[in-house]
């Protein structure tokens, strides 16, 4: 069972939450700005198994955009597209291509969380506002994070636990079978060279996160690429944000390639937790989601590195699934190819068996696989 799937808080966790000046109950949703939301939604329905549950647009009285609300397990994604060339959504897409605009936190008190963050220096994107509708009362504020990414701060009170104001119910127009992905395990930011510690400090000082892991360019490097990464976790450990910055390699690092195509910092990948990665990856592959291949040589050394696991090593190799182990257990993971034409945002599918890490032992294997694609694009 993936550890990020929320369960009732223990007494210790409740106490930590009370002392936390920016307590986060869960990720509320992730909103993407995309060039054609209707078609993007079809990809997440057919490939990832998300259900369409809400819609907002001209038919609901919103003249300048369409937004689609998708859900699977505890994951909520919103895909928003502008209907006209002017305005911040169109500008975001023009600059970045399709990408993540908003990582929204659900909190018990939006006004106090917003005040705590902004008093500590976080830049405001939107002051708290409350709307009341048939679904209850909903308060939202927002602060700015790296690049053009923001964090909405959502207080739902008695509000419908799945829905957002302004949306009307919507339904799939074809049969959607779930793929087994259940929750967001972590979301990774790529930031510019020399900026990692600024954003580590942002999450630590303004949102009360802790730096729990650190990889330097000696741990993670290949012939071409190296990266430095620090992992930030919120007080109750439910929100995990590794932050990467490029490090000098012989040629352009993949983090730098992302920054060059996204035109600045942004979300690099979203890791989605499943309780059965073999079934999930087999299913998603059959639906046309493309995963990064892993060389046979990776699997020759794997049983010795990882030891006994529940899954068959032959099956892992058949599906290109990676494995890693730390003091507390093992994890299985795999990465998709970028899901848009710019080599920017991609996904990870992860199944944890106790391990709390992020697959540092696999970064090199992942880098080598990504570099083969970079080479094919002429960027190495
Ligand atoms: Fe990851």
């Amino acid at each position: 069972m993936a550890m990020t799937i929320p369960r009732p808080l223990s007494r210790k966790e409740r106490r930590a939450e009370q002392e936390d000046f920016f307590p986060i109950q869960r990720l509320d949703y992730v909103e993407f700005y995309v060039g054609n939301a209707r078609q993007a939604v079809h990809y997440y329905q057919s490939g990832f198994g998300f259900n369409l549950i809400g819609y907002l647009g001209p038919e609901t009285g919103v003249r300048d955009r369409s937004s689609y609300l998708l859900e699977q397990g505890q994951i909520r994604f919103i895909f928003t597209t502008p209907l006209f060339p002017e305005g911040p959504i169109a500008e975001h897409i023009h600059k970045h291509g399709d990408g993540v605009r908003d990582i929204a936190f659900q909190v018990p008190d939006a006004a106090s969380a917003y005040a705590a963050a902004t008093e500590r220096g976080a830049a405001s994107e939107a002051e708290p506002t409350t709307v009341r509708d048939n679904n209850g009362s909903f308060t939202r504020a927002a602060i700015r994070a790296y690049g053009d990414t923001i964090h909405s701060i959502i207080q739902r009170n008695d509000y419908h636990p799945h829905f957002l104001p302004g949306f009307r119910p919507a339904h799939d127009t074809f049969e959607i079978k779930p793929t087994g992905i259940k929750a967001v395990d972590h979301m990774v930011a790529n930031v510019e060279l020399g900026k990692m510690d600024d954003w580590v400090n942002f999450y630590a000082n303004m949102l009360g996160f802790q730096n729990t892991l650190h990889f330097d360019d000696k741990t993670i490097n290949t012939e071409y690429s190296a990266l430095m990464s620090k992992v930030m976790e919120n007080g109750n450990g439910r929100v995990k944000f590794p932050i990467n910055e490029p490090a000098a390699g012989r040629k352009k690092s993949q983090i730098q390639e992302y920054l060059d195509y996204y035109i600045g910092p942004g979300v690099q990948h979203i890791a989605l937790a499943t309780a059965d990665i073999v079934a999930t990856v087999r299913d998603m592959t059959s639906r046309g989601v493309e995963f990064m291949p892993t060389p046979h040589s990776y699997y020759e050394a794997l049983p010795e590195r990882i030891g006994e696991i529940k899954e068959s090593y032959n099956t892992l190799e058949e599906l290109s699934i990676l494995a890693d182990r730390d003091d507390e257990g093992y994890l299985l993971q795999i990465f998709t190819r970028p899901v848009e034409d710019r080599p920017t945002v991609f996904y990870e599918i992860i199944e944890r068996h106790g391990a709390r890490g992020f697959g540092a032992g696999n970064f090199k294997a992942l880098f080598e696989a990504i570099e083969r694609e970079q080479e094919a694009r002429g960027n190495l």
Side-chain angles (χ1 to χ4, degrees):
M1 176 67 77
M3 54 182 286
T4 48
I5 293 175
R7 50 184 161 69
L9 291 177
S10 69
R11 200 181 308 163
K12 190 172 154 216
E13 286 170 319
R14 262 204 310 276
R15 201 163 46 238
E17 196 163 89
Q18 280 158 11
E19 288 162 12
D20 189 349
F21 65 82
F22 196 93
I24 299 172
Q25 294 161 312
R26 51 166 290 162
L27 280 182
D28 196 288
Y29 62 82
V30 178
E31 183 172 20
F32 301 74
Y33 284 170
V34 299
N36 184 338
R38 184 179 297 203
Q39 286 189 13
V41 163
H42 192 277
Y43 175 73
Y44 286 91
Q45 290 173 302
S46 60
F48 283 65
F50 280 87
N51 292 110
L52 176 64
I53 65 166
Y55 172 78
L56 165 164
E59 297 86 345
T60 68
V62 177
R63 306 307 302 174
D64 65 343
R65 73 186 73 183
S66 290
S67 288
Y68 298 78
L69 174 59
L70 275 69
E71 187 175 63
Q72 182 170 195
Q74 295 170 4
I75 311 161
R76 272 191 296 276
F77 284 170
I78 298 173
F79 294 90
T80 295
T81 201
L83 302 181
F84 299 102
E86 303 81 23
I89 306 172
E91 282 163 20
H92 195 279
I93 295 163
H94 182 70
K95 182 174 176 186
H96 301 297
D98 289 4
V100 172
R101 163 64 172 168
D102 186 359
I103 303 167
F105 303 129
Q106 190 185 326
V107 302
D109 183 339
S112 79
Y114 171 85
T118 52
E119 277 162 17
R120 286 169 170 79
S124 172
E125 171 70 18
E127 291 189 5
T129 50
T130 299
V131 296
R132 281 181 188 79
D133 62 23
N134 293 341
N135 289 313
S137 144
F138 186 101
T139 303
R140 174 183 176 265
I143 55 170
R144 291 190 195 147
Y146 46 88
D148 289 322
T149 314
I150 65 167
H151 290 303
S152 282
I153 301 166
I154 304 291
Q155 178 186 342
R156 287 183 174 269
N157 301 322
D158 56 341
Y159 203 84
H160 190 293
H162 306 262
F163 232 59
L164 283 96
F167 284 79
R168 75 176 189 200
H171 304 284
D172 303 310
T173 54
F174 61 106
E175 188 191 359
I176 310 290
K177 294 203 178 81
T179 55
I181 56 181
K182 289 178 160 32
V184 172
D185 184 274
H186 60 275
M187 294 184 66
V188 179
N190 280 349
V191 302
E192 305 100 317
L193 183 60
K195 291 288 163 50
M196 179 173 67
D197 284 335
D198 291 356
W199 292 106
V200 164
N201 292 337
F202 166 83
Y203 284 105
N205 300 339
M206 296 169 205
L207 303 187
F209 283 45
Q210 287 185 331
N211 179 205
T212 54
L213 279 169
H214 175 200
F215 312 100
D216 64 21
D217 53 352
K218 288 173 192 63
T219 325
I220 305 167
N221 70 86
T222 66
E223 190 180 353
Y224 296 114
S225 279
L227 70 71
M228 296 192 283
S229 187
K230 288 186 178 175
V231 180
M232 302 305 293
E233 285 192 27
N234 82 313
N236 60 19
R238 286 185 175 176
V239 179
K240 298 187 196 72
F241 292 154
I243 301 171
N244 297 333
E245 74 171 26
R250 279 179 48 191
K251 302 231 177 129
K252 186 190 279 189
S253 84
Q254 57 167 285
I255 309 302
Q256 192 58 48
E257 189 195 37
Y258 173 102
L259 295 168
D260 290 348
Y261 279 88
Y262 200 73
I263 321 295
V267 171
Q268 179 210 36
H269 75 264
I270 304 175
L272 304 172
T274 171
D276 186 348
I277 194 169
V278 168
T280 297
V281 171
R282 204 187 287 286
D283 189 9
M284 290 176 70
T285 302
S286 77
R287 298 165 185 236
V289 176
E290 293 179 84
F291 291 97
M292 299 298 275
T294 309
H296 171 70
S297 55
Y298 172 88
Y299 294 95
E300 288 174 344
L302 198 60
E304 200 178 328
R305 184 157 74 80
I306 306 299
E308 196 157 312
I309 57 174
K310 208 179 72 184
E311 298 74 13
S312 127
Y313 282 107
N314 287 339
T315 307
L316 300 189
E317 179 170 359
E318 177 206 333
L319 297 170
S320 277
I321 294 169
L322 308 168
D324 202 12
R325 183 177 278 285
D326 63 22
D327 296 345
E328 293 169 88
Y330 71 98
L331 62 80
L332 303 169
Q333 65 186 166
I334 190 170
F335 301 89
T336 70
R337 298 185 65 212
V339 294
E340 54 286 288
D341 289 293
R342 295 195 201 192
T344 57
V345 182
F346 59 89
Y347 288 86
E348 172 181 345
I349 307 297
I350 184 166
E351 177 181 345
R352 291 185 185 273
H353 290 268
R356 296 160 66 89
F358 297 85
N362 283 322
F363 284 15
K364 193 172 157 72
L366 165 69
F367 268 33
E368 287 164 350
I370 290 178
E371 281 165 7
R372 281 192 292 279
E373 293 218 335
Q374 260 185 288
E375 197 161 23
R377 289 190 290 267
N379 287 332
L380 259 193

